[in-house]
Amino acid sequence: MSSKEILAMNLKYYRYKLNLSQERFADAIGSNLTYVNQLENCKRKPTIEMLDKIANNLNKFDQSLNITASILLKYDKNHITKYDRIDEKK
């Protein structure tokens, strides 16, 4: 599994765990929906700075996760998701 695939898997997992839509997550990291979608579909490679920014912003939603850039690139078979769509709860 490539690092882009691992990152995509982990982003989807943490967004689901935190119940964040791609739109809300993009706003939180100061980016846009297209960029987040490209990351989650292995079409884009983030910079190290962006990985840090993503990790820091995920931690703002739940500090107990203690996510770092290196965790976002670490394979964990428990993070495999099969969700068609992750929406925020109303």
Side-chain angles (χ1 to χ4, degrees):
M1 189 173 263
S2 74
S3 59
K4 284 198 293 188
E5 291 170 319
I6 293 169
L7 175 64
M9 176 186 69
N10 285 328
L11 288 178
K12 289 176 192 174
Y13 171 79
Y14 286 117
R15 277 197 322 97
Y16 179 76
K17 185 174 181 78
L18 297 169
N19 197 39
L20 297 171
S21 65
Q22 284 184 334
E23 295 90 347
R24 185 157 180 228
F25 181 63
D27 286 342
I29 64 170
S31 189
N32 60 53
L33 174 61
T34 302
Y35 182 75
V36 171
N37 187 276
Q38 289 173 342
L39 289 176
E40 289 189 0
N41 288 294
C42 303
K43 307 250 186 237
R44 191 116 186 220
K45 293 187 281 185
T47 62
I48 296 295
E49 291 81 13
M50 182 53 84
L51 281 176
D52 286 335
K53 191 173 184 181
I54 291 169
N56 290 336
N57 281 291
L58 285 170
N59 287 324
K60 286 180 184 176
F61 290 99
D62 185 349
Q63 292 182 355
S64 69
L65 294 174
N66 198 27
I67 299 168
T68 62
S70 61
I71 287 174
L72 290 174
L73 296 173
K74 184 178 177 186
Y75 177 77
D76 183 336
K77 69 179 180 179
N78 296 317
H79 289 188
I80 297 172
T81 59
K82 296 184 183 198
Y83 311 109
D84 290 332
R85 186 167 171 95
I86 302 169
D87 288 314
E88 296 174 68
K89 292 179 185 170
K90 307 255 184 224

